[in-house]
Amino acid sequence: MPRLSEVIAALDALWPPERAEGWDTVGTVCGDPDAEIDRVLFAVDPVHEIADEALELGARLIVTHHPLYLRGTTTVAADTFKGRVVHTLIKHDIALHVAHTNADTADPGVSDALAGALDLRVTGPLVPDPTDPAGRRGLGRICELDHPETLADFAARAAARLPATAQGIRLAGDPEALVRTVAVSGGSGDSLFDAVRAAGVDAFLTADLRHHPASEAVQHSPLGLVDAAHWATEWPWCEQAAAQLDALSDRHGWDLRVHVSKQVTDPWTTHHSSGAPN
């Protein structure tokens, strides 16, 4: 069995930590570098439900997309929910490793997995990484559909192919407008509207669209907006990343057992359509 340090080195080659944004916190949160790893669990969020799942599986390493401590901390006391996660992991010799914005811009990255889940053809990054001479890395992806479809049908495609959440899919724009090209960005994407407009695509699928940026976007142009749950747009990366680690395990003869959590850790649990009585 490989040691944790060997597995982490392989993961860092896929998602180099130096490519993370300066505000981000990626890398190994806890774990003994010399511990032997035989089972790995991938998930979006490092919440206690995922720690419990790893314990039930016998996983010795959890890889999550979201950081446990994004803004730092002064305590890991077990009476805080994050501290309780740390205590559980250390007590049961389970390591935690995070690949966040370094996985967003990777080739393949989070938005490639999102495009793949929607059966879209990627033509390039939405915001290219200037340090990549091949022009494949970067934030978001520009995609093409095999055949044009209405914005309503494209939103229905997203609803059918992304994991189910309480939010579901929201749509802004003309439902009957034809969509041929799409920009996608896993996670919160309303900071990317300038790049999306510059790309000249027909629609933009992302998550966490706020009122004012979305309102301005649809007033600015006929761009269609498809807003999914944050967790749902990033979960496909877990399957992609697990397949990448599986391939590395086979190459190195590690015989790792790699799992993807199917627990919905999106914080929203119920949705009610609003409407005042007539």
Coordinates of all heavy atoms in Angstrom, one line a residue, residues 160-258:
A160 N -32.0 17.3 -15.5 CA -32.0 15.9 -15.6 C -30.7 15.2 -15.3 O -30.6 14.1 -14.8 CB -32.5 15.5 -17.0
R161 N -29.6 16.0 -15.6 CA -28.3 15.3 -15.6 C -27.4 15.7 -14.4 O -26.4 15.0 -14.1 CB -27.5 15.7 -16.9 CG -28.2 15.2 -18.1 CD -27.4 15.3 -19.3 NE -28.2 14.9 -20.5 CZ -27.7 14.6 -21.7 NH1 -26.4 14.8 -21.9 NH2 -28.4 14.3 -22.7
L162 N -27.7 16.8 -13.7 CA -27.0 17.2 -12.5 C -27.7 16.5 -11.3 O -28.9 16.2 -11.3 CB -27.0 18.7 -12.3 CG -26.1 19.5 -13.3 CD1 -26.2 20.9 -13.0 CD2 -24.7 19.0 -13.4
P163 N -26.9 16.3 -10.2 CA -27.5 15.7 -9.0 C -28.7 16.5 -8.5 O -28.7 17.7 -8.6 CB -26.4 15.7 -8.0 CG -25.1 15.8 -8.8 CD -25.5 16.6 -10.0
A164 N -29.7 15.8 -8.0 CA -30.9 16.5 -7.5 C -30.6 17.2 -6.2 O -30.0 16.8 -5.3 CB -32.0 15.4 -7.3
T165 N -31.2 18.5 -6.2 CA -31.0 19.3 -5.0 C -32.4 20.0 -4.7 O -33.2 20.0 -5.6 CB -30.0 20.4 -5.1 OG1 -30.3 21.2 -6.2 CG2 -28.6 19.8 -5.3
A166 N -32.5 20.5 -3.5 CA -33.8 21.2 -3.2 C -34.0 22.4 -4.1 O -35.1 22.8 -4.5 CB -33.8 21.7 -1.8
Q167 N -32.9 23.1 -4.5 CA -33.0 24.3 -5.4 C -33.5 23.9 -6.8 O -34.3 24.6 -7.4 CB -31.7 25.0 -5.5 CG -31.7 26.2 -6.5 CD -30.4 26.9 -6.7 OE1 -29.7 27.2 -5.7 NE2 -30.0 27.1 -7.9
G168 N -33.0 22.8 -7.3 CA -33.2 22.5 -8.7 C -32.5 23.5 -9.6 O -31.4 23.9 -9.3
I169 N -33.2 23.9 -10.7 CA -32.6 24.8 -11.7 C -33.4 26.0 -11.9 O -34.6 25.9 -12.0 CB -32.4 24.0 -13.0 CG1 -31.6 22.8 -12.9 CG2 -31.9 25.0 -14.1 CD1 -30.1 23.0 -12.6
R170 N -32.8 27.2 -11.8 CA -33.5 28.4 -12.1 C -33.0 28.9 -13.5 O -31.9 28.7 -13.9 CB -33.2 29.5 -11.1 CG -33.6 29.1 -9.7 CD -33.5 30.3 -8.7 NE -32.1 30.8 -8.6 CZ -31.8 31.8 -7.9 NH1 -32.7 32.5 -7.2 NH2 -30.5 32.2 -7.8
L171 N -33.9 29.6 -14.2 CA -33.6 30.1 -15.5 C -34.0 31.6 -15.6 O -35.0 32.0 -15.1 CB -34.5 29.3 -16.5 CG -34.3 29.5 -18.0 CD1 -34.7 28.2 -18.8 CD2 -35.1 30.7 -18.5
A172 N -33.1 32.3 -16.3 CA -33.4 33.7 -16.6 C -33.2 34.0 -18.1 O -32.2 33.5 -18.7 CB -32.6 34.7 -15.8
G173 N -34.1 34.6 -18.7 CA -34.0 34.9 -20.2 C -35.2 34.3 -20.9 O -36.1 33.7 -20.3
D174 N -35.2 34.4 -22.2 CA -36.3 33.9 -23.1 C -36.2 32.4 -23.1 O -35.3 31.8 -23.7 CB -36.2 34.5 -24.4 CG -37.3 34.0 -25.4 OD1 -38.1 33.3 -25.0 OD2 -37.2 34.4 -26.6
P175 N -37.2 31.7 -22.6 CA -37.1 30.2 -22.6 C -37.1 29.6 -24.0 O -36.6 28.5 -24.2 CB -38.4 29.8 -21.9 CG -38.8 30.9 -21.1 CD -38.4 32.1 -21.9
E176 N -37.6 30.4 -25.0 CA -37.6 29.9 -26.4 C -36.4 30.3 -27.2 O -36.3 29.9 -28.4 CB -38.9 30.4 -27.1 CG -40.2 29.9 -26.4 CD -40.2 28.4 -26.3 OE1 -39.9 27.7 -27.3 OE2 -40.6 27.9 -25.2
A177 N -35.5 31.0 -26.6 CA -34.3 31.4 -27.4 C -33.4 30.2 -27.7 O -33.3 29.3 -26.8 CB -33.5 32.4 -26.5
L178 N -32.8 30.1 -28.8 CA -32.0 29.0 -29.2 C -30.6 29.1 -28.6 O -30.0 30.2 -28.6 CB -31.9 28.9 -30.8 CG -33.1 28.2 -31.5 CD1 -32.8 28.2 -33.0 CD2 -33.3 26.9 -30.9
V179 N -30.1 28.0 -28.1 CA -28.8 27.9 -27.5 C -27.9 27.0 -28.4 O -28.3 25.8 -28.6 CB -28.9 27.3 -26.1 CG1 -27.6 27.1 -25.5 CG2 -29.8 28.3 -25.2
R180 N -26.8 27.5 -28.8 CA -25.8 26.8 -29.5 C -24.5 26.7 -28.8 O -23.8 25.7 -28.9 CB -25.6 27.4 -30.9 CG -26.8 27.5 -31.8 CD -26.5 28.2 -33.1 NE -27.7 28.2 -34.0 CZ -28.7 29.1 -33.9 NH1 -28.6 30.1 -32.9 NH2 -29.7 29.1 -34.7
T181 N -24.2 27.8 -28.1 CA -22.9 27.8 -27.3 C -23.2 28.2 -25.9 O -24.1 29.0 -25.6 CB -21.9 28.8 -27.9 OG1 -22.6 30.1 -28.0 CG2 -21.5 28.4 -29.3
V182 N -22.4 27.6 -25.0 CA -22.7 27.8 -23.5 C -21.3 28.0 -22.8 O -20.3 27.4 -23.2 CB -23.4 26.6 -23.0 CG1 -23.6 26.7 -21.5 CG2 -24.7 26.3 -23.7
A183 N -21.4 28.9 -21.8 CA -20.2 29.0 -20.9 C -20.7 28.3 -19.6 O -21.8 28.4 -19.2 CB -19.9 30.4 -20.6
V184 N -19.8 27.5 -19.0 CA -20.1 26.8 -17.7 C -19.0 27.1 -16.7 O -17.8 27.3 -17.1 CB -20.3 25.3 -17.9 CG1 -21.4 25.0 -18.9 CG2 -19.0 24.6 -18.3
S185 N -19.4 27.3 -15.5 CA -18.4 27.4 -14.4 C -19.0 26.8 -13.2 O -20.0 27.2 -12.7 CB -18.1 28.9 -14.2 OG -17.2 29.1 -13.2
G186 N -18.3 25.8 -12.7 CA -18.7 25.1 -11.4 C -18.5 26.1 -10.3 O -17.6 26.8 -10.2
G187 N -19.5 26.0 -9.3 CA -19.5 26.9 -8.2 C -20.0 28.3 -8.5 O -20.7 28.5 -9.5
S188 N -19.6 29.3 -7.7 CA -20.2 30.6 -7.8 C -19.6 31.3 -9.0 O -18.3 31.5 -9.1 CB -19.9 31.5 -6.6 OG -20.4 30.8 -5.4
G189 N -20.4 31.8 -10.0 CA -19.9 32.3 -11.2 C -20.3 33.7 -11.6 O -20.0 34.1 -12.8
D190 N -21.0 34.4 -10.8 CA -21.4 35.7 -11.3 C -20.4 36.8 -11.3 O -20.6 37.9 -11.7 CB -22.7 36.2 -10.5 CG -22.5 36.4 -9.0 OD1 -21.3 36.5 -8.6 OD2 -23.5 36.5 -8.3
S191 N -19.1 36.5 -10.9 CA -18.0 37.4 -11.1 C -17.5 37.3 -12.5 O -16.6 38.1 -12.9 CB -16.9 37.1 -10.1 OG -16.3 35.8 -10.4
L192 N -18.0 36.4 -13.3 CA -17.4 36.1 -14.6 C -18.3 36.6 -15.8 O -18.0 36.3 -17.0 CB -17.3 34.6 -14.8 CG -16.4 33.8 -13.8 CD1 -16.5 32.3 -14.1 CD2 -15.0 34.3 -13.9
F193 N -19.2 37.5 -15.5 CA -20.1 38.0 -16.5 C -19.4 38.7 -17.7 O -19.8 38.6 -18.8 CB -21.2 38.8 -16.0 CG -22.4 38.1 -15.4 CD1 -22.9 38.3 -14.2 CD2 -23.0 37.1 -16.2 CE1 -24.0 37.6 -13.7 CE2 -24.1 36.4 -15.8 CZ -24.6 36.6 -14.5
D194 N -18.4 39.5 -17.3 CA -17.6 40.2 -18.4 C -17.0 39.2 -19.4 O -17.1 39.4 -20.6 CB -16.6 41.1 -17.8 CG -17.1 42.3 -17.1 OD1 -18.3 42.7 -17.4 OD2 -16.4 43.0 -16.3
A195 N -16.4 38.2 -18.8 CA -15.8 37.1 -19.7 C -16.9 36.4 -20.5 O -16.6 36.1 -21.7 CB -15.0 36.2 -18.8
V196 N -18.0 36.1 -19.9 CA -19.1 35.4 -20.6 C -19.6 36.3 -21.7 O -19.8 35.8 -22.8 CB -20.2 35.1 -19.6 CG1 -21.4 34.6 -20.3 CG2 -19.8 34.1 -18.6
R197 N -19.8 37.6 -21.5 CA -20.3 38.4 -22.6 C -19.2 38.5 -23.7 O -19.5 38.5 -24.9 CB -20.6 39.8 -22.0 CG -22.0 39.9 -21.3 CD -22.4 41.3 -21.0 NE -21.6 41.9 -19.9 CZ -22.0 41.9 -18.6 NH1 -23.1 41.3 -18.3 NH2 -21.2 42.4 -17.7
A198 N -17.9 38.6 -23.3 CA -16.9 38.7 -24.3 C -16.8 37.4 -25.1 O -16.4 37.5 -26.3 CB -15.5 39.0 -23.6
A199 N -17.2 36.3 -24.6 CA -17.2 35.0 -25.3 C -18.3 34.9 -26.3 O -18.2 34.1 -27.2 CB -17.2 33.9 -24.3
G200 N -19.3 35.7 -26.1 CA -20.4 35.8 -27.1 C -21.3 34.5 -27.1 O -21.9 34.2 -28.1
V201 N -21.4 33.8 -26.0 CA -22.1 32.6 -25.9 C -23.6 32.9 -25.7 O -24.0 34.0 -25.4 CB -21.7 31.7 -24.7 CG1 -20.3 31.2 -25.0 CG2 -21.7 32.5 -23.4
D202 N -24.5 31.9 -26.0 CA -25.9 32.1 -25.9 C -26.4 31.9 -24.4 O -27.5 32.5 -24.1 CB -26.6 31.1 -26.8 CG -26.2 31.2 -28.2 OD1 -26.2 32.4 -28.7 OD2 -25.9 30.2 -28.9
A203 N -25.7 31.2 -23.6 CA -26.2 30.9 -22.3 C -25.0 30.7 -21.3 O -23.9 30.4 -21.8 CB -27.1 29.7 -22.2
F204 N -25.3 30.9 -20.0 CA -24.2 30.7 -19.0 C -24.9 29.8 -17.9 O -25.9 30.2 -17.3 CB -23.8 32.1 -18.5 CG -22.8 32.0 -17.4 CD1 -21.8 31.1 -17.4 CD2 -22.8 33.0 -16.4 CE1 -20.8 31.1 -16.4 CE2 -21.8 33.0 -15.4 CZ -20.8 32.0 -15.4
L205 N -24.2 28.7 -17.6 CA -24.7 27.8 -16.5 C -23.6 27.9 -15.4 O -22.5 27.6 -15.6 CB -24.9 26.4 -17.0 CG -25.4 25.4 -16.0 CD1 -26.3 24.4 -16.6 CD2 -24.4 24.8 -15.1
T206 N -24.1 28.2 -14.2 CA -23.2 28.3 -13.1 C -24.1 28.1 -11.8 O -25.2 27.6 -11.9 CB -22.4 29.6 -13.1 OG1 -21.4 29.6 -12.0 CG2 -23.3 30.8 -13.0
A207 N -23.6 28.7 -10.7 CA -24.4 28.6 -9.4 C -24.2 29.9 -8.7 O -23.4 30.8 -9.0 CB -23.8 27.4 -8.6
D208 N -25.1 30.0 -7.7 CA -25.1 31.2 -6.7 C -25.2 32.5 -7.4 O -24.6 33.5 -7.0 CB -23.8 31.2 -5.9 CG -23.6 30.0 -5.1 OD1 -24.6 29.3 -4.8 OD2 -22.5 29.7 -4.7
L209 N -26.1 32.6 -8.4 CA -26.3 33.9 -9.1 C -27.1 34.8 -8.2 O -28.1 34.5 -7.8 CB -27.0 33.7 -10.4 CG -26.1 33.0 -11.5 CD1 -27.0 32.8 -12.8 CD2 -24.9 33.8 -11.8
R210 N -26.5 36.0 -7.9 CA -27.1 37.0 -7.1 C -28.1 37.9 -7.9 O -27.9 38.0 -9.1 CB -26.1 37.8 -6.4 CG -25.2 37.0 -5.4 CD -24.0 37.9 -4.9 NE -23.2 38.1 -6.1 CZ -22.2 39.1 -6.0 NH1 -22.0 39.9 -5.0 NH2 -21.4 39.3 -7.1
H211 N -29.0 38.5 -7.2 CA -30.0 39.3 -7.9 C -29.4 40.4 -8.8 O -29.8 40.5 -10.0 CB -31.0 39.9 -6.9 CG -32.0 40.9 -7.5 ND1 -33.2 40.4 -7.9 CD2 -31.9 42.2 -7.7 CE1 -33.9 41.5 -8.4 NE2 -33.1 42.6 -8.3
H212 N -28.6 41.2 -8.3 CA -28.2 42.4 -9.0 C -27.3 42.0 -10.2 O -27.6 42.5 -11.4 CB -27.4 43.4 -8.1 CG -28.3 44.1 -7.2 ND1 -29.4 44.9 -7.6 CD2 -28.4 44.0 -5.8 CE1 -30.0 45.3 -6.5 NE2 -29.5 44.8 -5.4
P213 N -26.3 41.2 -10.1 CA -25.5 40.8 -11.3 C -26.4 40.1 -12.3 O -26.2 40.3 -13.5 CB -24.4 39.8 -10.7 CG -24.3 40.2 -9.3 CD -25.7 40.6 -8.8
A214 N -27.3 39.2 -11.9 CA -28.1 38.5 -12.8 C -29.1 39.5 -13.6 O -29.3 39.4 -14.8 CB -28.9 37.4 -12.1
S215 N -29.7 40.4 -12.8 CA -30.6 41.4 -13.4 C -29.8 42.2 -14.4 O -30.3 42.5 -15.5 CB -31.2 42.3 -12.3 OG -32.0 43.3 -12.9
E216 N -28.7 42.7 -14.1 CA -27.9 43.5 -15.0 C -27.5 42.7 -16.2 O -27.5 43.2 -17.4 CB -26.6 44.0 -14.3 CG -26.9 45.1 -13.2 CD -25.7 45.4 -12.4 OE1 -24.6 45.0 -12.7 OE2 -25.9 46.2 -11.4
A217 N -27.2 41.4 -16.1 CA -26.8 40.6 -17.2 C -27.9 40.4 -18.2 O -27.6 40.5 -19.4 CB -26.3 39.2 -16.7
V218 N -29.1 40.1 -17.7 CA -30.2 39.9 -18.7 C -30.7 41.2 -19.3 O -31.2 41.2 -20.4 CB -31.4 39.2 -18.0 CG1 -30.9 37.8 -17.6 CG2 -32.0 39.9 -16.9
Q219 N -30.4 42.4 -18.6 CA -30.8 43.7 -19.2 C -29.7 44.1 -20.2 O -30.0 44.8 -21.2 CB -30.9 44.7 -18.1 CG -32.0 44.6 -17.2 CD -33.4 44.7 -17.8 OE1 -33.5 45.5 -18.7 NE2 -34.3 43.9 -17.4
H220 N -28.5 43.6 -20.0 CA -27.4 44.0 -20.9 C -27.4 43.3 -22.2 O -27.0 43.9 -23.3 CB -26.1 43.6 -20.2 CG -24.8 44.2 -20.8 ND1 -24.2 43.6 -21.9 CD2 -24.1 45.3 -20.5 CE1 -23.2 44.3 -22.2 NE2 -23.1 45.4 -21.4
S221 N -27.9 42.1 -22.3 CA -27.9 41.3 -23.5 C -28.9 40.2 -23.4 O -29.5 39.9 -22.3 CB -26.5 40.7 -23.7 OG -26.3 39.6 -22.8
P222 N -29.2 39.5 -24.5 CA -30.2 38.3 -24.5 C -29.6 37.0 -23.9 O -30.1 36.0 -24.1 CB -30.5 38.1 -25.9 CG -29.4 38.6 -26.7 CD -28.8 39.8 -25.9
L223 N -28.4 37.2 -23.2 CA -27.8 36.0 -22.6 C -28.8 35.2 -21.7 O -29.4 35.8 -20.8 CB -26.6 36.5 -21.8 CG -25.8 35.4 -21.0 CD1 -25.1 34.5 -21.9 CD2 -24.9 36.1 -20.0
G224 N -28.9 33.9 -21.9 CA -29.7 33.1 -21.0 C -28.9 32.7 -19.8 O -27.7 32.3 -19.9
L225 N -29.5 32.6 -18.6 CA -28.8 32.2 -17.4 C -29.5 31.0 -16.8 O -30.7 30.9 -16.7 CB -28.9 33.4 -16.3 CG -28.4 34.7 -16.7 CD1 -28.5 35.7 -15.6 CD2 -26.9 34.6 -17.2
V226 N -28.7 30.0 -16.5 CA -29.1 28.8 -15.9 C -28.4 28.6 -14.6 O -27.2 28.5 -14.6 CB -28.9 27.6 -16.8 CG1 -29.4 26.3 -16.2 CG2 -29.5 27.8 -18.2
D227 N -29.1 28.7 -13.5 CA -28.5 28.8 -12.1 C -28.8 27.5 -11.4 O -30.0 27.2 -11.1 CB -29.1 30.0 -11.4 CG -28.5 30.1 -10.0 OD1 -27.3 30.0 -9.9 OD2 -29.3 30.4 -9.0
A228 N -27.8 26.7 -11.1 CA -28.0 25.4 -10.4 C -27.4 25.6 -9.0 O -26.8 26.6 -8.6 CB -27.2 24.3 -11.1
A229 N -27.6 24.6 -8.2 CA -27.1 24.6 -6.8 C -25.6 24.4 -6.9 O -25.0 23.7 -7.7 CB -27.7 23.4 -6.0
H230 N -24.9 25.2 -6.0 CA -23.4 25.2 -5.9 C -22.9 23.7 -5.9 O -22.0 23.3 -6.6 CB -23.0 26.0 -4.7 CG -21.5 26.3 -4.7 ND1 -21.0 27.6 -4.6 CD2 -20.4 25.5 -4.6 CE1 -19.7 27.5 -4.6 NE2 -19.3 26.3 -4.6
W231 N -23.4 23.0 -4.9 CA -22.9 21.6 -4.7 C -23.1 20.8 -6.0 O -22.2 20.0 -6.4 CB -23.7 20.9 -3.5 CG -23.4 19.5 -3.3 CD1 -22.3 19.0 -2.6 CD2 -24.1 18.4 -3.9 NE1 -22.4 17.6 -2.7 CE2 -23.5 17.2 -3.5 CE3 -25.2 18.3 -4.7 CZ2 -23.9 15.9 -3.8 CZ3 -25.7 17.0 -5.0 CH2 -25.0 15.9 -4.6
A232 N -24.2 20.9 -6.7 CA -24.5 20.1 -7.8 C -23.6 20.4 -9.0 O -23.3 19.5 -9.8 CB -26.0 20.3 -8.3
T233 N -23.1 21.6 -9.1 CA -22.2 22.0 -10.2 C -20.8 21.5 -10.0 O -20.0 21.4 -10.9 CB -22.2 23.5 -10.5 OG1 -21.6 24.2 -9.4 CG2 -23.6 24.0 -10.8
E234 N -20.5 21.2 -8.7 CA -19.1 20.7 -8.4 C -19.0 19.2 -8.1 O -17.9 18.7 -8.2 CB -18.6 21.5 -7.2 CG -18.4 23.0 -7.6 CD -17.8 23.8 -6.5 OE1 -18.1 23.5 -5.3 OE2 -17.2 24.8 -6.7
W235 N -20.1 18.6 -7.9 CA -20.1 17.2 -7.6 C -19.5 16.3 -8.7 O -18.8 15.4 -8.5 CB -21.5 16.6 -7.1 CG -21.4 15.2 -6.8 CD1 -21.1 14.7 -5.5 CD2 -21.7 14.1 -7.6 NE1 -21.1 13.3 -5.6 CE2 -21.5 12.9 -6.8 CE3 -22.0 13.9 -8.9 CZ2 -21.7 11.6 -7.3 CZ3 -22.2 12.7 -9.5 CH2 -22.0 11.5 -8.7
P236 N -19.9 16.6 -10.0 CA -19.3 15.8 -11.1 C -17.7 15.8 -11.0 O -17.2 14.8 -11.5 CB -19.8 16.5 -12.4 CG -21.1 17.1 -11.9 CD -20.8 17.6 -10.5
W237 N -17.1 16.8 -10.5 CA -15.6 16.8 -10.4 C -15.2 15.6 -9.5 O -14.1 15.0 -9.8 CB -15.1 18.1 -9.8 CG -13.6 18.0 -9.5 CD1 -12.6 18.2 -10.3 CD2 -13.1 17.8 -8.2 NE1 -11.4 18.0 -9.7 CE2 -11.7 17.8 -8.4 CE3 -13.6 17.5 -6.9 CZ2 -10.8 17.6 -7.3 CZ3 -12.7 17.3 -5.9 CH2 -11.3 17.3 -6.0
C238 N -16.0 15.2 -8.5 CA -15.6 14.1 -7.6 C -15.4 12.8 -8.4 O -14.4 12.1 -8.2 CB -16.6 13.9 -6.5 SG -16.7 15.3 -5.3
E239 N -16.3 12.6 -9.3 CA -16.2 11.4 -10.2 C -15.0 11.5 -11.1 O -14.3 10.5 -11.3 CB -17.5 11.2 -10.9 CG -18.7 10.8 -10.1 CD -19.9 10.2 -10.9 OE1 -20.1 10.8 -12.0 OE2 -20.5 9.3 -10.4
Q240 N -14.8 12.6 -11.7 CA -13.7 12.8 -12.6 C -12.4 12.6 -11.8 O -11.5 11.9 -12.3 CB -13.7 14.2 -13.2 CG -12.5 14.6 -14.0 CD -12.7 16.0 -14.6 OE1 -13.3 16.2 -15.6 NE2 -12.1 17.0 -13.9
A241 N -12.3 13.3 -10.6 CA -11.1 13.2 -9.8 C -10.8 11.7 -9.4 O -9.7 11.3 -9.3 CB -11.2 14.1 -8.6
A242 N -11.9 11.0 -9.0 CA -11.7 9.7 -8.5 C -11.2 8.8 -9.7 O -10.3 7.9 -9.5 CB -13.1 9.1 -8.0
A243 N -11.7 9.0 -10.9 CA -11.2 8.3 -12.1 C -9.7 8.6 -12.3 O -8.9 7.7 -12.7 CB -12.0 8.6 -13.3
Q244 N -9.3 9.9 -12.1 CA -7.9 10.2 -12.3 C -7.0 9.5 -11.3 O -5.9 9.0 -11.6 CB -7.7 11.7 -12.1 CG -8.3 12.5 -13.3 CD -8.1 14.0 -13.1 OE1 -8.9 14.6 -12.4 NE2 -7.1 14.6 -13.6
L245 N -7.5 9.4 -10.0 CA -6.7 8.7 -9.0 C -6.7 7.2 -9.3 O -5.7 6.6 -9.0 CB -7.2 9.0 -7.6 CG -6.5 8.4 -6.4 CD1 -5.0 8.8 -6.5 CD2 -7.1 8.7 -5.1
D246 N -7.8 6.7 -9.7 CA -7.9 5.3 -10.1 C -6.8 5.0 -11.1 O -6.1 3.9 -11.1 CB -9.2 4.9 -10.7 CG -10.1 4.2 -9.7 OD1 -9.6 3.6 -8.7 OD2 -11.4 4.4 -9.8
A247 N -6.7 5.8 -12.2 CA -5.7 5.6 -13.2 C -4.2 5.7 -12.6 O -3.4 4.9 -13.0 CB -5.8 6.6 -14.3
L248 N -4.0 6.6 -11.7 CA -2.7 6.7 -11.1 C -2.4 5.5 -10.2 O -1.3 4.9 -10.2 CB -2.6 8.0 -10.2 CG -2.5 9.3 -11.0 CD1 -2.7 10.4 -10.0 CD2 -1.2 9.4 -11.7
S249 N -3.4 5.0 -9.5 CA -3.3 3.8 -8.7 C -2.9 2.6 -9.6 O -2.0 1.8 -9.2 CB -4.6 3.5 -8.0 OG -4.5 2.3 -7.3
D250 N -3.5 2.4 -10.7 CA -3.2 1.3 -11.6 C -1.8 1.5 -12.1 O -1.0 0.5 -12.2 CB -4.2 1.3 -12.8 CG -5.6 0.9 -12.4 OD1 -5.7 0.3 -11.3 OD2 -6.5 1.1 -13.2
R251 N -1.4 2.7 -12.5 CA -0.1 2.9 -13.0 C 1.0 2.6 -12.0 O 2.1 2.1 -12.4 CB 0.1 4.4 -13.5 CG 1.3 4.7 -14.3 CD 1.3 6.2 -14.6 NE 0.1 6.6 -15.2 CZ -0.4 7.9 -15.2 NH1 0.4 8.8 -14.7 NH2 -1.5 8.2 -15.8
H252 N 0.8 2.9 -10.7 CA 1.8 2.7 -9.7 C 1.6 1.3 -9.0 O 2.5 1.0 -8.2 CB 1.7 3.8 -8.6 CG 2.1 5.2 -9.1 ND1 3.4 5.5 -9.4 CD2 1.4 6.3 -9.3 CE1 3.5 6.8 -9.8 NE2 2.2 7.3 -9.8
G253 N 0.6 0.6 -9.4 CA 0.4 -0.7 -8.7 C 0.0 -0.6 -7.3 O 0.3 -1.5 -6.5
W254 N -0.8 0.5 -6.9 CA -1.2 0.7 -5.6 C -2.4 -0.1 -5.1 O -2.6 -0.3 -3.9 CB -1.5 2.2 -5.4 CG -0.3 3.1 -5.3 CD1 1.0 2.7 -5.2 CD2 -0.2 4.5 -5.5 NE1 1.9 3.7 -5.2 CE2 1.1 4.9 -5.4 CE3 -1.2 5.5 -5.7 CZ2 1.5 6.2 -5.5 CZ3 -0.8 6.8 -5.9 CH2 0.6 7.2 -5.8
D255 N -3.3 -0.4 -6.0 CA -4.5 -1.2 -5.7 C -5.4 -0.4 -4.7 O -6.0 -1.0 -3.8 CB -4.2 -2.6 -5.2 CG -5.4 -3.5 -5.2 OD1 -6.3 -3.3 -6.0 OD2 -5.5 -4.4 -4.3
L256 N -5.5 0.9 -4.9 CA -6.4 1.7 -4.1 C -7.8 1.5 -4.4 O -8.2 1.2 -5.6 CB -6.1 3.2 -4.3 CG -4.8 3.8 -3.8 CD1 -4.7 5.3 -4.2 CD2 -4.7 3.7 -2.3
R257 N -8.7 1.5 -3.4 CA -10.1 1.5 -3.6 C -10.6 2.9 -3.4 O -10.5 3.5 -2.4 CB -10.8 0.5 -2.6 CG -10.5 -1.0 -2.9 CD -10.8 -1.9 -1.8 NE -9.7 -1.7 -0.8 CZ -9.7 -2.4 0.4 NH1 -10.7 -3.2 0.7 NH2 -8.7 -2.2 1.2
V258 N -11.2 3.4 -4.5 CA -11.6 4.8 -4.6 C -13.1 4.9 -4.7 O -13.7 4.3 -5.5 CB -10.9 5.5 -5.8 CG1 -11.3 7.0 -5.8 CG2 -9.4 5.4 -5.7

